[in-house]
Amino acid sequence: MDLEDQLPSDDGDTADAASPSPGRSVCHAGCGRPSRVCLCPHLPPSPLPTSTTVVILHHPHALRRNPLSTLPLLARCLANLHLVPGRRLASSSSPALLPPPSPSGPVLFLYPSSAAADLATWCRATPPAARARPTLLLLDGTWRQAKEMRAASGAFLASLGTVPVALPVDGDSMFESELVVKKEPRKGCLSTMEAVARALRMLEPEGKGEEIEEVMVGVVRAMVAFQMEHVKHLTVAPRVKMRKKKELKREEVRSNAELN
């Protein structure tokens, strides 16, 4: 998202140390990454149970075209997680795709906007009984894709009575910290996995949320360490300047005139 979003992460078509290629040894029984950058030692022995139901609508290209996607790692970290592929949520498709929220729990749509309440403030202002067993809904794709997914899902989100919330921007984010995987468009940008971790710290019962956040952020930190080591040894070829057809046409006319 290229505006004010902290949620989806990871866009781009850059090559990654985690992208398997023919001949590479891959950890098929675990994280699915190349063996030399295996993250299994950093993952929990089994997915962590949470009282919060996490639902992520992810663009169909999020996994296929994005080697830095944190969705596969999220699936290994959280038991109460539902990954929904698609470009929008609608009433016609939601029964098959979107798990129903808890009868008494709120549905929180984590997507910063002018209408979004700060999640920490919302938690402090909402009685524990009114925010028990919430559903946390996020979008995952490129910055542009997430904006389009939000617009396309607007009517359905309104019908769910979702509460728009956003994470506080305190500077401790993927954008400025050692957790940076790639250059983000603005301060406060988080990968999907880090956004979920920060949110669960506030939504889960006291003590448990901090433990879950620590485990999840530890996984991302290990992933970033592998990525930074890969980038450090990467030789980037100079980028060829793209020239417009009009410019080439003018040069051709000028050259012909000089010859005549």
Side-chain angles (χ1 to χ4, degrees), residues 18-186:
S19 301
S21 63
R24 280 191 181 184
S25 174
V26 176
C27 179
H28 292 293
C31 62
R33 292 164 58 87
S35 299
R36 67 185 183 87
V37 289
C38 174
L39 286 174
C40 290
H42 305 278
L43 294 168
S46 60
L48 304 171
T50 60
S51 62
T52 303
T53 299
V54 180
V55 180
I56 301 177
L57 173 67
H58 64 91
H59 195 276
H61 296 165
L63 294 177
R64 186 169 71 252
R65 296 185 180 178
N66 181 12
L68 296 181
S69 175
T70 54
L71 292 183
L73 299 177
L74 258 173
R76 289 292 310 276
C77 287
L78 298 178
N80 199 3
L81 171 71
H82 302 268
L83 299 179
V84 182
R87 290 178 170 84
R88 70 186 181 113
L89 293 172
S91 57
S92 59
S93 60
S94 62
L97 294 178
L98 188 65
S102 172
S104 59
V107 181
L108 306 175
F109 180 44
L110 188 58
Y111 185 105
S113 67
S114 57
D118 180 277
L119 181 57
T121 302
W122 180 86
C123 288
R124 288 193 296 267
T126 306
R131 56 184 173 87
R133 306 193 68 80
T135 295
L136 181 66
L137 178 59
L138 302 91
L139 305 177
D140 185 279
T142 66
W143 308 101
R144 179 179 298 178
Q145 288 166 354
K147 287 177 62 177
E148 294 171 352
M149 291 158 68
R150 176 178 181 264
S153 304
F156 178 72
L157 293 173
S159 71
L160 275 183
T162 56
V163 179
V165 294
L167 294 173
V169 179
D170 57 8
D172 183 17
S173 70
M174 297 279 287
F175 182 76
E176 294 181 331
S177 72
E178 77 280 8
L179 295 183
V180 65
V181 173
K182 69 179 190 64
K183 185 176 181 180
E184 302 290 1
R186 59 178 295 162

